[in-house]
Amino acid sequence: MRYVLGKPWSSEDKAYLEQQKRPPAVFNQILPAVDLIVGHQINGRIDFIASPVEQYADAEIASILTSAIKHVENINNATSDRRFQFLDGLITGIGVIENWYDTEDSIEGEIKIAQRSPWKYYLDPDFEKYDYSDAKLLYRGEWLTKDDIKRIYGKKISKQLQDPSSYANELSESTSIPTWENDPSNDYGNLSGSWMKNKTDEELYEMGYDRKQDLYRVIEEYKKVYESVDMYRDAMGNIVKEDDMLNE
C-alpha cells in the first residue's frame, strides 16, 4: 500500500539517507498505473442482468428480477463500492463485497451491499480457485466495544469478556491462562488476572485487547459444511427432497 501512496522508504532507510545528506527521492510510477487500470474498470463497467436460460424460464420474470437487482444496487450505491472493491483487489490482492439481509432498521429487513476492508479477512490457505469457491474456511476480524459485542452476540457472550486493565489479585501467578485449547467453551478468552500485570499495551493488542480504546478483537469463523440430502424423482419427473415429501 505504501508504494502506491509514494512512501517506499522505511523510517530507518530514510534516516540513513538524510544522515548522509542524500535526499530520499521518490518517483511514483505505480499510482499512475493504478489510476489507469481503475479508469478502464469504470469505463467498462457492466450491469447485472437476469436472463432466462432454462427451457421453461419466463422472460417477464427475468425482466422483473433485473429491475429488482438494479434497485438494490442503486439504493446501496453499489457501483461506488464495487469500484473500491476492484481497487482493493488491485493493490492488496483481495477485494471484498458483502451482501446480507439487514434487520437493524426495519423488522421486514433490507438487502444490503457494502465494500469491506480486505485487512479484516483471513483466507483459507488451501484455496486455489480465483472465485474462492473451493475454500472451506473464512475468518473475519473486527475491533468492537463491549457494548457492541453485547448488542451483536448477546449478553451471554459479553459476560465472557473481562477487562484486562482491572487485574484480579485473587488469581495466583500459577493460574493457567485460558485458551481455546484448554477451555473450548471460552471462545472469547479471559484476559483478566494477575499474570497480566506486566503486559504492555502492544502485548495486549496482540492478544486481542486495545487498552487505549477499550476495544476487543472478535474473529468470526465461517466454515463450509456439507450435508447429505436424500432426493427423489416423482412421477412428473420433478426432483423432490425427502423432507419436503414428509411435510406434504
Side-chain angles (χ1 to χ4, degrees), residues 12 52 55 65 79 86-87 107 141 172 177 183 187 210 225 234 244:
E12 294 80 6
Q55 182 179 359
L65 290 175
T79 299
F86 180 83
L87 180 61
I107 193 171
S172 66
I177 300 175
D183 187 4
D187 294 339
D210 187 336
V225 178
D234 62 17
D244 294 339

Side-chain angles (χ1 to χ4, degrees), residues 92-186:
T92 71
I94 303 174
V96 180
I97 282 281
E98 183 177 4
N99 304 273
W100 77 100
Y101 196 68
D102 182 40
T103 56
E104 188 75 20
D105 299 324
S106 171
I107 193 171
E108 296 179 352
E110 297 177 340
I111 299 175
K112 295 289 187 178
I113 302 174
Q115 176 260 353
R116 299 301 191 191
S117 169
W119 306 112
K120 295 181 178 180
Y121 290 81
Y122 306 88
L123 305 184
D124 185 344
D126 296 323
F127 89 96
E128 296 180 355
K129 293 185 178 180
Y130 181 79
D131 62 357
Y132 204 63
S133 60
D134 61 335
K136 296 180 176 62
L137 295 170
L138 177 67
Y139 298 93
R140 182 178 69 177
E142 292 276 359
W143 287 94
L144 302 173
T145 65
K146 192 170 184 177
D147 289 338
D148 287 335
I149 294 173
K150 181 179 179 180
R151 177 176 59 84
I152 298 172
Y153 302 101
K155 295 181 181 179
K156 182 178 180 181
I157 295 300
S158 66
K159 288 181 180 179
Q160 295 185 34
L161 299 172
Q162 301 293 332
D163 182 2
S165 61
S166 58
Y167 306 114
N169 295 324
E170 65 272 13
L171 294 179
S172 66
E173 292 293 339
S174 61
T175 301
S176 61
I177 300 175
T179 64
W180 286 343
E181 287 75 17
N182 60 33
D183 187 4
S185 65
N186 197 350

Side-chain angles (χ1 to χ4, degrees), residues 20-232:
Q20 293 187 332
K21 307 298 182 181
R22 297 164 57 191
V26 175
F27 302 95
N28 192 343
Q29 297 181 337
I30 299 177
L31 183 58
V34 170
D35 287 340
L36 177 63
I37 296 173
V38 172
H40 284 303
Q41 187 269 339
I42 294 174
N43 292 330
R45 183 176 60 86
I46 59 175
D47 291 327
F48 291 97
I49 298 176
S51 300
V53 295
E54 297 180 356
Q55 182 179 359
Y56 300 105
D58 192 320
E60 184 176 353
I61 293 178
S63 177
I64 295 173
L65 290 175
T66 298
S67 298
I69 292 172
K70 289 184 177 181
H71 173 70
V72 172
E73 294 267 315
N74 289 335
I75 63 176
N76 286 283
N77 196 22
T79 299
S80 176
D81 279 10
R82 295 193 191 282
R83 181 167 68 249
F84 284 107
Q85 177 199 21
F86 180 83
L87 180 61
D88 287 340
L90 188 63
I91 296 175
T92 71
I94 303 174
V96 180
I97 282 281
E98 183 177 4
N99 304 273
W100 77 100
Y101 196 68
D102 182 40
T103 56
E104 188 75 20
D105 299 324
S106 171
I107 193 171
E108 296 179 352
E110 297 177 340
I111 299 175
K112 295 289 187 178
I113 302 174
Q115 176 260 353
R116 299 301 191 191
S117 169
W119 306 112
K120 295 181 178 180
Y121 290 81
Y122 306 88
L123 305 184
D124 185 344
D126 296 323
F127 89 96
E128 296 180 355
K129 293 185 178 180
Y130 181 79
D131 62 357
Y132 204 63
S133 60
D134 61 335
K136 296 180 176 62
L137 295 170
L138 177 67
Y139 298 93
R140 182 178 69 177
E142 292 276 359
W143 287 94
L144 302 173
T145 65
K146 192 170 184 177
D147 289 338
D148 287 335
I149 294 173
K150 181 179 179 180
R151 177 176 59 84
I152 298 172
Y153 302 101
K155 295 181 181 179
K156 182 178 180 181
I157 295 300
S158 66
K159 288 181 180 179
Q160 295 185 34
L161 299 172
Q162 301 293 332
D163 182 2
S165 61
S166 58
Y167 306 114
N169 295 324
E170 65 272 13
L171 294 179
S172 66
E173 292 293 339
S174 61
T175 301
S176 61
I177 300 175
T179 64
W180 286 343
E181 287 75 17
N182 60 33
D183 187 4
S185 65
N186 197 350
D187 294 339
Y188 291 82
N190 183 344
L191 300 181
S192 67
S194 57
W195 52 271
M196 293 292 293
K197 285 184 178 179
N198 298 324
K199 296 297 182 183
T200 64
D201 288 349
E202 290 75 17
E203 289 173 324
L204 285 175
Y205 187 88
E206 291 298 322
M207 297 176 68
Y209 179 70
D210 187 336
R211 179 155 50 190
K212 295 179 179 178
Q213 302 185 69
D214 194 22
L215 296 175
Y216 296 83
R217 180 171 59 209
V218 177
I219 299 179
E220 296 179 341
E221 179 189 61
Y222 298 88
K223 182 183 295 185
K224 185 184 292 183
V225 178
Y226 293 94
E227 296 182 355
S228 177
V229 178
D230 293 328
M231 309 288 289
Y232 298 91

